[in-house]
Amino acid sequence: MKLLNLTINGRKHTKAVSPSMTLLDFLREELNLTGTKNGCDKGACGCCSVMIDDKPMLSCLLPALEAEGAAITTIEGIAKGNALHPVQEAMIEMGAIQCGFCTPAMVINGVHMLAKNNNPDDDEVKECISATVCRCTGYNSIEKALHLAASKMRRAAHDGS
Amino acid sequence: MTAPKKDFDFARPKTIEQLYNLVQECQHEGRQFIFSAGGTDIMPNLKSEILSPDIVISLTGLRALNNIEKQGDHIIIGALTSLSELCSNNNIQKYLPALARAAHKVASPQIRNRATIGGNIMVENRCSYINQSPINRESHSPCFKIGGDVCHLVKSAKRGDDILCQARFVSDTAPLLLLQNSTVNIIGPAGSKEIKLADLYLNDGIESKSLMHGEIITHIKVEITENSLSHYEKLTIRNALDFPSLGVAALRRGNGDISVALTGLNTRPGVFHAKLENHETSDDMIVDICRKANDFTVTYQQDFFPRGYRKNMISVFIRRAINKILEGAKS
């Protein structure tokens, strides 16, 4: 066992972990943050996406100790209390959630894309979710939701300025 | 396959000195070690038991190796630069746009945020037998690559053959780097050296790189070619996540000579040249390159695409890449 220090959703954690434990297992099994999903466990489905120092990465392909000192955002850290993020609101409004298994990863990747660019074109939206597998929706409603979220965020930025 | 079957230890040294103290310690104690950069290729191999080291030594603590710098006629890329940093870097976009395109074609956005350029040029050769789950592999005898006595692609292969393993070379970024006469800086227990990138690649799918155990790549030095144009084309079933079924990088130098480099079609990358004659790119030049490329290629039924289709696509993709360059030359 080795000691791991990291920040998850703004909260500092120090915990002893097995060196061969992945970050995904650490989040789910040690911290009970089960929003991050384990789909394929080999980097092919995207369901385990989390933000590490503000970049989406696959937590199943990372030894937990690799995240020493990092700031991690999981789906549990996206909403502010009861106030959903515009991406989450838009996913609900567009019916972009069916079984919900891919939703945390879709939201994480969408939030990251829109934080950099709140006016993405179709290709950028498609690329954003290109490596997160959804077996229910056929992706159309998710793409529409991200466009809707973008317009919500543009409006908010406009109203705020 | 949630966790790797065999537990491994993990270390992340912060300096080269710490790294080699640790390597020395491992060698002294007889512990098997592997290096990991982004780890996006290593982790699946650990989980599927293709690799089973005692310790994984992460290189990500060596922050000095994460930078891109222009020095005169060269761009120096730190081996730990992530592929997404490479894609968005101003110097790369300005001087090596085809490298940015090739890096952008690797895997997925999440993987590119993690995977490094050093790791991509060192990516392990792949084959449709070995890169399967352990459950699938259990139904076959072990192949040469995992110490067995058979090749499931070439049943007639036997120990002592020049090329024992036909696992394919699949790096997307190496072809263009080869065309730009890149060199790699290597450090190891015995000191540092600089070799041509072309000399990194060997003929066999098992021992596919000339890097010795314990050595790491620190930098890649890429030549900027004056007035050149280049392009990368990749054949895959999906836009994301697939390794190249075949990849073609093409470069037209200021003097009109054309070079092409291939990936995904042999155990190593291939590079071919055609000299400009009569001041105009002739179809003969392209036919000549396609012929050399087809001679070099060793395709087996080892991919989602049928073997015959993949062979036919070699010339198609070479022409596509060269035509793209020639369009650019006109505009």
Side-chain angles (χ1 to χ4, degrees):
Chain A
M1 301 291 267
K2 286 194 170 168
L3 215 55
L4 168 64
N5 301 286
L6 75 180
T7 307
I8 297 171
N9 302 330
R11 208 176 128 200
K12 284 200 160 100
H13 293 267
T14 301
K15 234 176 151 99
V17 297
S18 153
S20 46
M21 177 177 261
T22 61
L23 179 63
L24 173 63
D25 286 347
F26 177 72
L27 293 171
R28 291 181 56 87
E29 310 293 334
E30 299 290 320
L31 301 184
N32 264 332
L33 293 172
T34 52
T36 307
K37 301 300 182 209
N38 185 351
C40 70
D41 211 13
K42 57 179 181 179
C45 77
C47 289
C48 65
S49 298
V50 297
M51 271 195 257
I52 302 180
D53 295 331
D54 288 330
K55 285 181 184 158
M57 296 184 193
L58 301 176
S59 58
C60 77
L61 292 187
L62 219 58
L65 289 171
E66 191 73 74
E68 171 70 32
I72 292 171
T73 309
T74 67
I75 186 67
E76 289 88 350
I78 296 292
K80 296 215 160 50
N82 285 330
L84 294 182
H85 189 281
V87 172
Q88 292 171 309
E89 285 175 3
M91 295 278 287
I92 295 168
E93 285 166 39
M94 296 310 296
I97 303 165
Q98 289 187 25
C99 87
F101 200 81
C102 72
T103 309
M106 293 291 181
V107 171
I108 289 278
N109 286 293
V111 167
H112 172 258
M113 172 186 68
L114 296 176
K116 285 197 306 183
N117 170 16
N118 66 12
N119 197 7
D121 61 26
D122 273 350
D123 286 345
E124 284 164 320
V125 167
K126 282 196 166 85
E127 191 193 324
C128 166
I129 60 167
S130 62
T132 307
V133 174
C134 170
R135 310 205 76 167
C136 307
T137 62
Y139 302 98
N140 271 344
S141 53
I142 299 172
E143 287 169 22
K144 281 183 194 154
L146 290 177
H147 281 298
L148 175 63
S151 66
K152 280 172 184 267
M153 288 170 73
R154 285 197 301 274
R155 207 174 312 130
H158 186 258
D159 292 348
S161 63
Chain B
M1 57 168 190
T2 291
K5 267 244 175 76
K6 183 183 153 187
D7 282 344
F8 53 81
D9 197 2
F10 179 90
R12 190 160 71 144
K14 290 201 170 67
T15 62
I16 300 278
E17 197 188 350
Q18 282 179 11
L19 171 73
Y20 281 108
N21 286 340
L22 184 62
V23 165
Q24 220 168 23
E25 220 173 87
C26 289
Q27 282 168 337
H28 186 69
E29 293 165 1
R31 295 164 81 199
Q32 295 291 323
F33 64 90
I34 54 166
F35 292 137
S36 161
T40 52
D41 192 39
I42 300 272
M43 280 303 279
N45 286 347
L46 286 169
K47 290 182 182 191
S48 65
E49 300 162 52
I50 295 171
L51 295 169
S52 51
D54 298 313
I55 178 166
V56 173
I57 302 178
S58 167
L59 303 176
T60 55
L62 307 173
R63 306 219 174 236
L65 304 186
N66 182 350
N67 62 334
I68 299 175
E69 222 176 284
K70 182 171 181 289
Q71 286 181 6
D73 297 339
H74 291 87
I75 303 244
I76 318 284
I77 306 173
L80 287 169
T81 307
S82 76
L83 294 174
S84 57
E85 283 164 340
L86 193 75
C87 296
S88 58
N89 180 272
N90 290 340
N91 276 329
I92 299 291
Q93 288 186 347
K94 185 170 175 196
Y95 297 106
L96 301 165
L99 179 62
R101 180 181 159 86
H104 192 81
K105 295 236 167 223
V106 176
S108 67
Q110 297 100 309
I111 288 179
R112 288 195 294 275
N113 281 338
R114 189 75 209 166
T116 65
I117 182 71
N120 190 259
I121 63 172
M122 280 299 291
V123 66
E124 190 60 47
N125 285 29
R126 296 178 69 84
C127 133
S128 53
Y129 164 74
I130 193 93
N131 296 107
Q132 296 282 352
S133 68
I135 299 168
N136 181 298
R137 268 187 283 129
E138 267 170 24
S139 62
H140 307 274
S141 313
C143 73
F144 291 123
K145 196 162 184 173
I146 42 175
D149 261 321
V150 64
C151 171
H152 295 289
L153 285 178
V154 187
K155 298 283 185 191
S156 61
K158 55 186 185 308
R159 286 208 179 272
D161 287 353
D162 282 350
I163 297 175
L164 201 55
C165 171
Q166 292 292 347
R168 297 187 301 136
F169 179 76
V170 290
S171 166
D172 280 304
T173 55
L176 196 93
L177 291 171
L178 285 164
L179 296 183
Q180 302 281 158
N181 292 329
S182 303
T183 56
V184 286
N185 289 78
I186 292 169
I187 50 169
S192 59
K193 61 182 175 187
E194 183 175 327
I195 65 164
K196 286 183 184 158
L197 177 61
D199 293 337
L200 181 66
Y201 300 121
L202 306 176
N203 282 333
D204 193 88
I206 300 173
E207 292 289 330
S208 58
K209 318 286 186 297
S210 64
L211 211 65
M212 305 289 280
H213 192 52
E215 288 182 332
I216 63 165
I217 295 173
T218 55
H219 295 89
I220 304 156
K221 192 168 152 194
V222 192
E223 202 177 275
I224 302 170
T225 325
E226 285 282 310
N227 302 320
S228 69
L229 287 164
S230 53
H231 189 65
Y232 181 69
E233 282 286 338
K234 173 178 179 178
L235 171 68
T236 51
I237 288 201
R238 305 175 290 183
N239 277 335
L241 279 168
D242 284 339
F243 286 96
S245 290
L246 69 88
V248 175
L251 172 83
R252 183 181 187 267
R253 290 182 190 279
N255 66 6
D257 292 354
I258 287 179
S259 303
V260 159
L262 301 180
T263 184
L265 290 166
N266 201 324
T267 52
R268 62 196 153 92
V271 182
F272 313 98
H273 309 283
K275 283 213 166 304
L276 183 77
E277 283 166 13
N278 307 326
H279 311 288
E280 205 178 335
T281 310
S282 66
D283 202 54
D284 288 350
M285 286 169 74
I286 303 176
V287 169
D288 183 46
I289 285 186
C290 288
R291 190 177 298 136
K292 287 179 193 158
N294 276 294
D295 287 350
F296 159 82
T297 296
V298 187
T299 48
Y300 294 98
Q301 193 67 43
Q302 71 203 129
D303 192 75
F304 301 115
F305 291 110
R307 173 174 173 268
Y309 177 80
R310 215 148 57 91
K311 274 188 97 81
N312 285 333
M313 285 303 111
I314 298 167
S315 302
V316 172
F317 273 66
I318 289 175
R319 278 186 182 276
R320 198 175 283 176
I322 292 177
N323 285 340
K324 190 84 189 171
I325 287 175
L326 297 179
E327 278 168 28
K330 274 183 216 151
S331 61

